[in-house]
Amino acid sequence: MRVLAPILLWLPAALSITIRSPSFVSYDSYQVVRVKTGQHLRTVQEKLSTLSYEQWNHDIHHHIDILLAPGQLSAFQDLAIDYHVMHENLGDSITAESELKARWKRDFGDLSWYDSYHPYEEHKQYFDDLHAAFPNNSEIVSSGSSYEGRDIYGLHLWGDSGPGKPAVLFHGTVHAREWIAAPVNEYIALQLVTGYNAGNNITQLYLNKYDFYIFPFVNPDGFVYTQTNERLWRKNRQPGPGNSTAIGRDINRNWEFGWDANPLGASTNPASQVYKGEAPSDAPENKGLDKFVRKLRDGAGIKLFIDWHSYGQYILTPFGYKETLYAPELGKWTKAASIVSETIRDSSDAKTTFTFGPSGATLYTTTGAAPDHVYSVGRAEWSFTIELPDTGDFGFVLPPDRIRGTVEEQWAGQQALWELLDEEFFDGEGPAIYLGM
Ligand SMILES: *[C@@H]1O[C@H](CO)[C@@H](O)[C@H](O)[C@H]1NC(C)=O
Ligand SMILES: *[C@@H]1O[C@H](CO)[C@@H](O)[C@H](O)[C@H]1NC(C)=O
Ligand SMILES: *[C@@H]1O[C@H](CO)[C@@H](O)[C@H](O)[C@H]1NC(C)=O
Ligand SMILES: [Zn+2]
């Protein structure tokens, strides 16, 4: 249903020209390469230890993805190790990513929104417009403010007799550089609104059963910084403690539950990409998000929580903080994850598949991460991290022409998941463990 006046707002030709600061890190002539590891992991790590590089991935059993400065390239080639190039020139990839090829006009029904990436302010407008199209069944909500004072906005959606049903809660762009997370959240919100308005009985069924709370940007400062200054920024933009000149806490290591449970799960070094902060929830983003989680818990409860990340194509469940600890619900979570993965695989010719399992055992140990907290403290019945595409052709810098396919397959996956949320047949199966696929 089209309720907006047809305001035509032609966008500037390129994101880069409009919002980049003079100090934008160009990454010109930087290369991203995937180094094969497997049984040679030790040897490879030893060889790499002679270089300076930034590592992109954490699960290094099969490969390590690394970013190399131009000055390191010849030394890297001299190592004579097995690798292939992900980004020949990362600077060119970032420039290409920021060009708005589609000329999206301001109309949420125009799907060319999903053909390019957008500035933060436009994302905010997109949700305002979506709310305006669904005024009696939605509201814009806030999970507090970021360090720099940006609103952590979300859309709360409900059906015929709502609001007040158990919550489905989504957090996107937890890590600033994982740009694909926001369009996925937005596309799901769009499908709910347009499907409901069009009388789609499946959409109506879920909106009548659950209250959706969709937050596409829980780390808005970091996201804005990736567009103005440094495309590969991950954390929030809060200054480090004391005299430290380092910036940023990792919002996904700062949650209260299990915050200090395992020294391997996060870093106490303010300069680290996985800096946990000085105390649980000492990042303003976490403080607000946690308050919101507890409010939902104490209301109608949390049915489903998803923390949306990229990259790697994983569907992960608690626990992250202890790899040998299996939750009683692990059997049903894992079975559901396998069904979601199959649904996504069969939904398009891309045949995208996901690896699934408990996050600590499947990927690596994480302390103070959201899915453990929202399950243990928020008492969410279902709690996931979804690591979106790809598996490493492009990593964080996923080209805009991959957005549309990714959002569509996630919409297919979510419908399959929602169908399972109230199923009883999983009960009594016990914690069967299926790792990988
Ligand atoms: C919202 O509810 C009001 C009051 O019941 C009604 O007048 C209006 O038509 C509704 N709007 C939509 C878009 O359904
Ligand atoms: C939705 O409607 C279609 C067509 O009328 C019907 O076949 C299907 O069973 C309905 N699904 C639900 C969940 O009500
Ligand atoms: C910070 O720097 C000041 C001045 O150099 C110094 O006096 C102080 O001890 C430092 N504080 C910490 C916590 O290191
Ligand atoms: Zn992430």
Side-chain angles (χ1 to χ4, degrees):
M1 184 167 65
R2 189 190 168 98
V3 296
L4 287 181
I7 309 158
L8 298 184
L9 180 82
W10 295 101
L11 294 173
L15 194 59
S16 51
I17 293 166
T18 55
I19 57 176
R20 278 186 186 170
S21 98
S23 58
F24 186 79
V25 182
S26 79
Y27 285 108
D28 187 35
S29 301
Y30 280 64
Q31 254 184 27
V32 184
V33 298
R34 166 162 292 188
V35 177
K36 217 169 146 188
T37 55
Q39 56 189 10
H40 305 298
L41 177 60
R42 273 253 169 104
T43 328
V44 167
Q45 280 179 315
E46 245 165 55
K47 286 186 172 182
L48 287 176
S49 69
T50 60
L51 300 180
S52 120
Y53 60 87
E54 194 195 316
Q55 187 172 321
W56 273 17
N57 66 330
H58 298 275
D59 174 19
I60 56 176
H61 300 300
H62 303 292
H63 52 82
I64 311 181
D65 299 344
I66 61 174
L67 169 67
L68 292 161
Q72 297 289 307
L73 292 175
S74 83
F76 172 73
Q77 271 144 20
D78 291 344
L79 297 177
I81 46 184
D82 194 354
Y83 74 98
H84 77 258
V85 175
M86 291 166 61
H87 294 274
E88 185 71 44
N89 179 341
L90 184 64
D92 288 349
S93 302
I94 290 173
T95 301
E97 176 196 54
S98 298
E99 277 166 6
L100 291 183
K101 294 197 182 72
R103 293 179 68 78
W104 181 75
K105 60 187 191 310
R106 186 177 150 195
D107 172 354
F108 64 85
D110 177 1
L111 289 177
S112 69
W113 174 259
Y114 299 96
D115 293 334
S116 59
Y117 294 105
H118 302 271
Y120 174 74
E121 291 305 327
E122 270 172 34
H123 283 286
K124 211 160 184 268
Q125 187 70 60
Y126 190 85
F127 258 28
D128 287 344
D129 290 351
L130 215 45
H131 163 59
F134 205 40
N136 294 346
N137 296 71
S138 73
E139 61 179 344
I140 296 287
V141 290
S142 172
S143 200
S145 288
S146 65
Y147 176 77
E148 291 174 349
R150 291 187 179 85
D151 182 27
I152 299 179
Y153 69 89
L155 191 60
H156 171 200
L157 307 152
W158 59 86
D160 286 340
S161 55
K165 301 282 170 31
V168 171
L169 174 64
F170 291 169
H171 289 172
T173 326
V174 179
H175 292 138
R177 61 193 176 185
E178 299 165 9
W179 283 11
I180 186 63
V184 165
N185 276 259
E186 288 166 344
Y187 190 76
I188 292 167
L190 172 71
Q191 293 306 316
L192 286 170
V193 170
T194 53
Y196 195 93
N197 279 343
N200 175 308
N201 60 353
I202 309 231
T203 314
Q204 287 178 342
L205 175 74
Y206 296 123
L207 272 174
N208 287 338
K209 265 173 120 165
Y210 308 117
D211 280 33
F212 287 77
Y213 296 86
I214 300 180
F215 292 91
F217 293 95
V218 303
N219 179 11
D221 299 350
F223 177 70
V224 168
Y225 195 73
T226 63
Q227 295 193 325
T228 57
N229 288 69
E230 152 66 298
R231 175 64 182 85
L232 297 180
W233 190 258
R234 166 185 167 102
K235 300 185 284 181
N236 76 356
R237 291 293 304 162
Q238 185 177 2
N243 290 351
S244 167
T245 56
I247 301 285
R249 282 158 166 74
D250 184 343
I251 291 177
N252 204 31
R253 299 292 185 279
N254 191 241
W255 291 84
E256 180 185 299
F257 180 81
W259 180 79
D260 215 7
N262 185 335
L264 298 176
S267 176
T268 54
N269 173 6
S272 163
Q273 293 277 28
V274 289
Y275 173 50
K276 65 201 279 191
E278 297 298 296
S281 287
D282 70 351
E285 293 83 0
N286 289 77
K287 201 164 280 155
L289 293 165
D290 187 22
K291 197 170 155 202
F292 203 92
V293 162
R294 289 171 202 255
K295 194 178 84 181
L296 295 180
R297 175 196 68 189
D298 298 339
I302 301 174
K303 176 61 82 173
L304 166 67
F305 170 69
I306 300 179
D307 217 36
W308 296 92
H309 292 253
S310 77
Y311 61 101
Q313 293 171 203
Y314 293 95
I315 302 173
L316 304 169
T317 58
F319 287 102
Y321 84 102
K322 199 171 183 184
E323 59 189 73
T324 51
L325 182 62
Y326 293 153
E329 298 89 342
L330 185 60
K332 76 172 191 180
W333 291 341
T334 306
K335 187 150 188 183
S338 79
I339 291 170
V340 172
S341 180
E342 272 172 39
T343 304
I344 290 173
R345 184 193 63 204
D346 296 342
S347 72
S348 83
D349 293 339
K351 301 263 172 279
T352 313
T353 59
F354 284 74
T355 302
F356 48 85
S359 74
T362 308
L363 209 46
Y364 49 89
T365 305
T366 52
T367 51
D372 282 9
H373 182 91
V374 182
Y375 166 66
S376 302
V377 174
R379 297 200 285 268
E381 204 179 314
W382 301 78
S383 186
F384 295 97
T385 293
I386 297 186
E387 296 277 359
L388 292 162
D390 55 16
T391 53
D393 289 341
F394 300 100
F396 301 118
V397 186
L398 191 70
D401 64 10
R402 294 285 304 275
I403 302 172
R404 189 89 74 111
T406 300
V407 302
E408 285 170 358
E409 65 192 19
Q410 289 306 317
W411 170 238
Q414 285 303 299
Q415 292 173 83
L417 178 60
W418 301 343
E419 199 181 325
L420 302 172
L421 296 181
D422 282 324
E423 287 290 341
E424 299 293 333
F425 64 86
F426 287 122
D427 289 358
E429 281 194 0
I433 314 302
Y434 320 78
L435 288 185
M437 94 165 263

